[in-house]
Amino acid sequence: MSAPLSVDPEDFCFFDTETRSLPGLEDPRWGDITKSSVLRYSKSSKVIMFQYAIGTGPTKVWELEDFDKTLRWQDAPPDLLEFMSRALRGSAWFVAWNAAFDRHVSNHGMVAPSKRTTLPVRTVLDAMAQAAASNLPGRLDAAHKAIGGKGKLPDGKRLIQLFCAAGGGTPQSHPAEWQTFCEYGVQDVDALREVFLATRPLWSWEWEQYWTSEVINDRGLPIDRHFVERAADLAYDYTAVVDRRVVEFTGGDLRTVNQHVAMAQWVFDRLSHYPEATAILTKRYSEDDGGALVPDKVSLERKRIEKLIPFLERIDTEVGLTDDEYDVLRLIETREYGASATPKKFAKMLPMLTDDERLPGQYVFNGAQQTGRFSSRGVQVHNLTRKALKNEAEAIDFICNPDGETT
């Protein structure tokens, strides 16, 4: 239906959460949201502060005063519980920025009032998705400033580092900082509300798409953990081999395959006597003092390597390569696939996986401004290579074989 869910601000509860990683995790990466998936992190942390504002009312803070305990939904403020009842009936909605995070930690980082999910997918809206549809930045601070607001408190990151890590500060150990942290939370909710009410309300059918995408995100992608673990180990070993070759081919001038700028310049310097090679390597020209165009920026991006390799092979066939030029050829052949980011995705998957071996939360609704298309986060599954191996079965068997060795 081409109509908003509601035009009454009182039908929305704007909220934000602050969390703290649990101590003694089996994998410490689970307690780091930058390394873990939102779903995995939500089960490895607890909510220490729940800030909310119903409609145009005041912003309130429901805080966990004793970090040895856990917030319980049954102890929530009465107005919050009353609003939750409305949301569960489908007549009101919670609104958060990057809402999947706050929805999951509210469901897993607090004691639920019953066995059912506390905040089901259809009770929560993402203000970030609505802001993106109005071409605002993806960060709340920048989006709030874009509509004329002040943004977030500058001390926010420092306070998060103080209170949100397992074993960090507490309201008792740092009372002044905790009070500032509460003020930070209030300002976040105020900014969130102002941005949401200042942007075009998404139509009901758009929120239906959003909720569907969140169901897909929560379900996650099925992953073969054994395969990923083995592939991550092989990728680590392969990177070490590649880096050793880089050191060998450059005589120690370069140490790793990821020295992109230095490697491009190293190759350029050794092939500068070939005009065709310099043309392939040059990404940008500038004028010298005499007005002549000279290379200003060089690059070894994949498409340039794919042109440079056959050029050097042709030179080798026609007149032969010098030792230095042959080292360049071997280096860029190593660089062509050795610098790929795809193998590193295997190791990145592992701390994100759920107990049932699924990779959740990989898609962002309205992730691209203006076009409204989905984007990807975490492993960036949208950027996985599309090329298929001719010997795929053999490659899979090699990766899964515990006795396999890299060459």
Side-chain angles (χ1 to χ4, degrees):
M1 183 172 64
S2 295
L5 293 171
S6 173
V7 294
D8 185 353
E10 302 308 312
D11 289 338
F12 303 99
C13 176
F14 306 93
F15 79 110
D16 186 31
T17 57
E18 304 300 338
T19 57
R20 184 179 179 94
S21 302
L22 298 176
L25 295 173
E26 179 182 340
D27 187 335
R29 294 175 296 179
W30 294 346
D32 184 345
I33 189 59
T34 64
K35 297 178 181 178
S36 182
S37 62
V38 169
L39 183 53
R40 170 57 78 180
Y41 174 81
S42 70
K43 297 179 179 181
S44 308
S45 64
K46 62 182 176 181
V47 175
I48 57 175
M49 192 190 305
F50 190 104
Q51 313 92 259
Y52 68 99
I54 298 174
T56 56
T59 300
K60 302 178 182 180
V61 178
W62 176 26
E63 57 184 292
L64 181 64
E65 297 179 354
D66 184 353
F67 283 4
D68 289 332
K69 299 180 179 180
T70 304
L71 283 180
R72 304 190 307 168
W73 273 108
Q74 65 188 58
D75 299 328
D79 59 343
L80 184 57
L81 289 175
E82 181 181 352
F83 188 91
M84 182 187 294
S85 296
R86 291 183 60 202
L88 292 174
R89 294 194 301 269
S91 61
W93 298 269
F94 286 90
V95 181
W97 192 271
N98 191 19
F101 176 89
D102 298 285
R103 175 169 61 84
H104 278 303
V105 297
S106 297
N107 287 332
H108 301 292
M110 302 168 65
V111 178
S114 66
K115 292 183 178 180
R116 62 170 172 76
T117 301
T118 307
L119 295 183
V121 167
R122 296 181 66 88
T123 65
V124 182
L125 308 179
D126 194 341
M128 184 174 71
Q130 179 163 299
S134 291
N135 204 30
L136 291 183
R139 293 184 299 105
L140 177 57
D141 181 63
H144 193 228
K145 289 178 180 178
I147 65 168
K150 296 180 180 179
K152 304 172 71 168
L153 286 176
D155 265 359
K157 289 185 178 180
R158 180 182 65 84
L159 294 170
I160 288 173
Q161 292 173 349
L162 174 61
F163 292 110
C164 296
T170 68
Q172 292 72 34
S173 66
H174 296 78
E177 289 87 348
W178 179 253
Q179 181 59 39
T180 302
F181 198 32
C182 291
E183 294 170 2
Y184 166 81
V186 168
Q187 185 167 330
D188 266 11
V189 172
D190 290 343
L192 157 69
R193 173 168 52 183
E194 289 175 23
V195 171
F196 186 81
L197 296 178
T199 49
R200 174 186 74 80
L202 296 187
W203 302 123
S204 298
W205 64 265
E206 291 176 289
W207 287 122
E208 291 287 347
Q209 289 184 344
Y210 166 72
W211 289 327
T212 300
S213 73
E214 287 302 277
V215 170
I216 294 171
N217 270 337
D218 290 356
R219 182 177 60 204
L221 307 172
I223 298 295
D224 183 334
R225 182 187 293 272
H226 171 69
F227 178 90
V228 170
E229 289 175 340
R230 179 65 180 152
D233 288 342
L234 289 174
Y236 178 83
D237 293 342
Y238 176 66
T239 298
V241 170
V242 167
D243 286 343
R244 287 198 298 270
R245 290 175 179 171
V246 168
V247 173
E248 175 189 349
F249 299 152
T250 65
D253 291 340
L254 302 175
R255 309 301 299 179
T256 76
V257 73
N258 292 316
Q259 291 177 265
H260 307 296
V261 176
M263 186 176 294
Q265 190 62 53
W266 190 92
V267 171
F268 181 87
D269 290 344
R270 282 149 186 81
L271 299 180
S272 58
H273 52 288
Y274 292 120
E276 185 175 342
T278 61
I280 293 172
L281 290 164
T282 301
K283 190 170 185 177
R284 186 179 65 207
Y285 291 89
S286 63
E287 291 187 359
D288 62 14
D289 294 339
L293 290 177
V294 294
D296 182 52
K297 184 177 182 179
V298 296
S299 170
L300 269 180
E301 55 194 351
R302 177 71 61 82
K303 63 181 181 181
R304 299 178 191 277
I305 291 178
E306 290 174 348
K307 293 179 181 179
L308 193 57
I309 288 176
F311 167 77
L312 289 174
E313 289 175 340
R314 175 167 57 85
I315 295 296
D316 192 31
T317 300
E318 294 175 352
V319 297
L321 295 173
T322 66
D323 290 344
D324 283 348
E325 291 168 350
Y326 184 62
D327 283 340
V328 169
L329 176 58
R330 292 196 294 171
L331 177 67
I332 61 176
E333 287 176 335
T334 300
R335 171 76 170 81
E336 183 177 15
Y337 293 104
S340 173
T342 297
K344 298 176 183 178
K345 294 180 184 292
F346 291 113
K348 195 168 186 178
M349 288 180 190
L350 291 172
M352 297 182 178
L353 297 183
T354 58
D355 291 337
D356 57 351
E357 300 188 356
R358 301 187 77 91
L359 182 65
Q362 294 300 299
Y363 301 109
V364 182
F365 178 80
N366 267 4
Q369 296 166 329
Q370 297 180 334
T371 65
R373 66 173 173 80
F374 282 82
S375 63
S376 186
R377 60 159 64 96
V379 178
Q380 295 287 339
V381 293
H382 283 175
N383 293 337
L384 291 174
T385 180
R386 292 173 173 80
K387 295 181 179 179
L389 296 175
K390 294 181 180 179
N391 57 338
E392 181 178 299
E394 292 85 351
I396 292 174
D397 181 66
F398 170 76
I399 291 174
C400 292
N401 179 6
D403 297 323
E405 297 180 356
T406 55
T407 58

